[in-house]
């Protein structure tokens, strides 16, 4: 297995490029299943989740080619003849569940494994199932699989209210609705930019959708969608992560540039909280310039669906609070158990208290390098951020979590002045007196 080793205390400086959005790319790939022909997707990040989802599409019969240099993906979905997403892949990545809507929309039937829980707790899919049922699907459970069928080969469309406004359920319902026989309405739909960009791609393919970016999305089903060439948007969570990295690890007064970004996708809540810490930032086209303040001020946050503070940035914000002056808290109302990174940060000396869905802490704190374990994607990157400001070496184990969602993280950070390297290690090695001495 691989780990990242970070020597703390080096200032982050210069320019960091932002990759294409992982979560939007997964939606776009699912959308390609609906089009009989070759869809070309640009600005696709080279990540493990993208590779996993490529396998999911191949199982269904698509041919997927990806060039990691140009970041262009070609999906030939002329032949989709095996409408199934197996457990082995769905368990690795929940977004594989998008195949339910995509296969129903394309083939009128689907057999997709239920995803189960994830590293930080239960993540239900009840809204995906109830919504597709409301659009006409007949759904049964069979040995851990959802078996869905559209009577007569096409969904009829319908009306469904999401509570809460789930990103994934909005996507699955859109995938099902765009080729339905009739019209559909998704109420309390997700507003996340990923969903809006995905909806625009469907429109370009010929889908008739109104209300993207509002709480009510109306869809008029069409007979078929056409393949298109579409450019994926930049990754908003990677941008937020590097803005936080700049604020905590940059030299006061210095400016760090994040290029190829789309800052409006971060939402007002994050930008406002970031501004209140005292870190200055400006936008110029697709470049975000972050100027590092002398001192960061603590700002408490509470996650919420877009345009609220993203749950995918709360672990990183905890590290920011540890470096800021004053008391603050991080509350997650979207995933109330998403705090597996906190005990790992405590191994680095973090003093914090988790109560229910909230972590309380007071800064600034001195963190020390340690061996820490990745538990999930965003939690893992919070350990890397802590490593940037910790004294000594931090070893972040189980880097495969990071490889799911941060393209070339160590390459980008080392080009920006950070001493970081990837090493392989034996997770199950038994320590001997000699190895203990080496450490
Ligand atoms: C998406 O997950 C993202 N994943 C997540 O990013 C992100 O954390 C999440 O949205 C919230 O922004 C992808 O885009 C692939 P939800 P998703 O359905 O769609 C409840 C990352 O790190 N809910 O919007 O699975 C649910 O429990 C990942 O990149 C139901 O109750 O999230 C949660 O409280 C992790 N029933 C809330 O909705 C359902 O059927 C929002 O979840 C579905 C969801």
């Amino acid at each position: 297995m691989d780990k990242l080793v970070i020597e703390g205390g080096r200032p982050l400086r210069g320019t960091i490029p932002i990759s294409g959005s992982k979560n939007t790319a997964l939606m776009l790939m699912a959308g390609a299943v609906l089009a009989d022909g070759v869809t070309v997707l640009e600005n696709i990040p080279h990540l493990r989740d993208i590779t996993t989802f490529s396998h999911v599409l191949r199982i269904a019969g698509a041919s997927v080619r990806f060039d990691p240099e140009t970041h262009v993906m070609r999906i030939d979905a002329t032949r989709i003849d095996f409408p199934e997403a197996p457990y082995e892949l769905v368990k690795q990545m929940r977004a594989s569940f998008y195949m339910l809507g995509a296969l129903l929309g394309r083939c009128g039937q689907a057999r997709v494994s239920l995803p189960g829980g994830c590293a930080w707790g239960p993540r239900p899919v009840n809204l995906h199932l109830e919504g597709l049922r409301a659009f006409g699907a007949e759904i049964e459970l069979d040995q851990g699989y959802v078996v869905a069928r559209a009577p007569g080969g096409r969904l009829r469309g319908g009306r469904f209210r999401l509570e809460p406004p789930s990103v994934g359920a909005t996507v699955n319902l859109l995938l099902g609705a765009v080729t339905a026989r009739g019209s559909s309405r998704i109420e309390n739909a997700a507003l996340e930019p990923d969903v809006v960009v995905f909806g625009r791609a469907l429109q370009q393919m010929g889908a008739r959708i109104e209300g993207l970016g509002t709480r009510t999305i109306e869809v008029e089903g069409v007979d078929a969608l056409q393949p298109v060439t579409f450019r994926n948007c930049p990754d908003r969570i990677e941008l937020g992560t590097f803005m936080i990295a700049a604020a905590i690890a940059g030299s006061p007064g210095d400016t760090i540039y994040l290029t190829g970004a789309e800052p409006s996708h971060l939402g007002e809540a994050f930008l406002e909280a970031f501004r209140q810490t005292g870190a200055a930032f400006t936008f110029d086209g697709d470049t975000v310039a972050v100027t590092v303040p002398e001192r960061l001020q603590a700002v408490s946050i509470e996650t919420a669906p877009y345009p609220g503070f993203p749950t995918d940035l709360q672990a990183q914000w905890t590290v920011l609070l540890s470096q800021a002056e004053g008391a603050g808290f991080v509350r997650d109302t979207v995933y109330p158990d998403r705090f597996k990174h906190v005990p790992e940060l405590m191994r680095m000396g973090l003093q914090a208290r988790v109560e229910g869905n909230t972590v309380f802490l007071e800064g600034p704190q001195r963190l020390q390098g340690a061996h820490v374990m990745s538990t999930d994607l965003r939690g893992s990157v919070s350990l890397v951020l802590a490593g940037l400001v910790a004294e000594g070496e931090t070893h972040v184990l189980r880097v495969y979590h990071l490889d799911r969602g941060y393209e070339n993280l160590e390459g980008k950070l080392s080009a920006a002045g950070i001493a970081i390297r990837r090493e392989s290690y034996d997770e199950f090695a038994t320590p001997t007196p000699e190895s203990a001495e080496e450490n």
Side-chain angles (χ1 to χ4, degrees), residues 135 154-158 173-174 176-186 202-203 206-211 217-225:
F135 287 6
R154 260 175 99 178
L155 292 175
R156 59 156 199 266
L173 293 185
L174 276 171
V178 287
T179 58
R181 237 183 272 279
S183 56
S184 305
R185 178 204 281 249
I186 307 170
L202 290 176
Q203 285 171 326
R208 291 175 58 193
I209 306 173
E210 274 178 36
I217 300 181
E218 312 251 15
V219 181
E220 196 62 52
V222 295
D223 288 341
L225 296 190

Side-chain angles (χ1 to χ4, degrees), residues 127 161-167 169-170 187-188 305 334:
L127 296 171
R161 183 176 173 80
L162 295 169
E163 200 60 70
S166 155
V167 171
T170 305
E187 293 169 8
N188 203 26
V334 179

Side-chain angles (χ1 to χ4, degrees), residues 90-113:
V90 181
K91 76 168 196 264
Q92 286 180 42
M93 195 191 57
R94 297 174 57 84
S96 313
F97 205 62
Y98 291 155
M99 289 307 271
L100 186 61
L103 291 171
L104 265 175
R106 176 71 191 272
C107 311
Q109 54 175 314
R111 186 180 150 83
V112 176
S113 169

Side-chain angles (χ1 to χ4, degrees), residues 22-23 26-27 94-95 98 120 122-128 163-169 192 311-312 334-335 338 377-378:
K22 166 185 78 95
N23 288 344
L26 296 169
M27 297 172 191
R94 297 174 57 84
Y98 291 155
W120 67 79
R123 284 174 72 189
V125 288
N126 59 311
L127 296 171
H128 302 237
E163 200 60 70
S166 155
V167 171
E192 268 68 6
T311 171
D312 292 342
V334 179
Y335 294 118
R338 201 177 189 179
L377 172 57
R378 309 301 171 188

Side-chain angles (χ1 to χ4, degrees), residues 7 9 13 32 44 86 136 154 219 279 288 365 406 430:
E7 283 168 35
R13 55 181 165 67
I44 300 298
R154 260 175 99 178
V219 181
V288 179
Q365 299 187 18
Y406 286 91
T430 314

